[in-house]
Amino acid sequence: MTQPSADRAPVRVVLVDDHAMFRAGVRGELATTGAGLVEVVGEAADADAAIAVVRDLRPQVVLLDVHLPGGGGVEVMRRQPSPDTLYLALSVSDAAEDVIGTIRGGARGYVTKTITGPELVDAITRVAGGDAVFSPRLAGFVLDAFAGSIDVAAVDEDLDRLTEREREVMRLIARGYAYKEVAKELFISVKTVETHMSSVLRKLQLSSRHELTKWASDRRLL
């Protein structure tokens, strides 16, 4: 674990996520466990706002959600609002195509939202220092992609029919989450989860959670 240094200023961080409650929780956690190591200097809830904030504040590291209104995390990195800024993806998704696509888009690391506060502080400081950081399971996806065992260029037309939110709901339901658990994870209502789930099954022409789990497993989305 990185320790504070009297000779080193805190890493300046911008937090980008479309859920205000999640941003508040991360900000509070970093203020507590990352005191002296990291400092959240700005926030944004969508791609356009993120580009403006990063351009204005020029942070060292951006904590970036993969799925954002207005184009997603990859769009923020593509437009390079601050060339010297480094990006660490922090997402609920641990699907292979999200991990690989985000890294190819320019992120220096990818961690999931199950990460602890001290682990996140460590990941931020390591990325700021030039390291690449991944949650343990996700590193395998990157290695597989470069080894050629995952065809990241293949486009799944079925998956492309789903919105970003529907993809998030789909993955969690396919992993066995209850509707209430999905709602808590994504900061949405149970009714909204049910609506997204009905839309997912209709678009994919599936009839049950069991079929959805098999569909997702066949595409290595779990």
Side-chain angles (χ1 to χ4, degrees):
M1 182 66 187
T2 309
Q3 297 297 323
S5 171
D7 300 327
R8 183 170 52 195
V11 177
R12 299 174 69 254
V13 175
V14 162
L15 176 58
V16 180
D17 192 283
D18 60 337
H19 298 113
M21 289 179 62
F22 179 76
R23 295 198 309 272
V26 172
R27 178 185 278 271
E29 183 66 36
L30 294 179
T32 302
T33 61
L37 288 169
V38 300
E39 177 187 6
V40 177
V41 297
E43 298 182 11
D46 58 51
D48 288 338
I51 290 164
V53 170
V54 173
R55 181 189 301 118
D56 291 343
L57 299 179
R58 299 192 177 276
Q60 292 162 271
V61 175
V62 174
L63 282 180
L64 185 66
D65 194 7
V66 173
H67 300 297
L68 293 168
V74 172
E75 176 65 11
V76 176
M77 293 184 288
R78 184 187 70 79
R79 290 170 63 178
Q80 293 187 329
S82 173
D84 294 331
T85 294
L86 301 171
Y87 294 86
L88 173 61
L90 175 62
S91 178
V92 68
S93 173
D94 60 1
E97 80 276 9
D98 281 339
V99 177
I100 296 163
T102 302
I103 297 304
R104 286 192 163 184
R108 289 292 300 171
Y110 194 117
V111 295
T112 62
K113 291 181 178 179
T114 58
I115 195 170
T116 67
E119 289 170 342
L120 182 57
V121 171
D122 188 56
I124 292 169
T125 56
R126 286 173 58 195
V127 166
D131 290 345
V133 180
F134 301 94
S135 294
R137 177 171 177 265
L138 307 187
F141 291 155
V142 178
L143 293 173
D144 286 346
F146 283 101
S149 57
I150 294 179
D151 183 5
V152 296
V155 176
D156 191 317
E157 294 182 358
D158 289 335
L159 190 62
D160 284 348
R161 295 192 187 105
L162 305 183
T163 66
E164 292 179 351
R165 177 62 81 196
E166 287 170 349
R167 293 186 192 192
E168 290 178 326
V169 170
M170 174 272 294
R171 291 188 185 104
L172 293 175
I173 292 294
R175 290 172 189 155
Y177 280 57
Y179 284 1
K180 287 184 179 180
E181 293 172 321
V182 175
K184 182 178 180 181
E185 183 78 15
L186 299 180
F187 299 96
I188 58 179
S189 70
V190 174
K191 182 64 175 177
T192 301
V193 174
E194 293 173 349
T195 299
H196 285 313
M197 182 60 176
S198 295
S199 180
V200 167
L201 293 178
R202 175 175 50 80
K203 289 181 179 180
L204 299 181
Q205 298 182 353
L206 302 173
S207 60
S208 68
R209 293 179 59 145
H210 175 74
E211 289 185 1
L212 179 63
T213 298
K214 184 178 186 303
W215 181 91
S217 177
D218 289 345
R219 287 158 178 78
R220 303 184 68 175
L221 299 177
L222 301 181

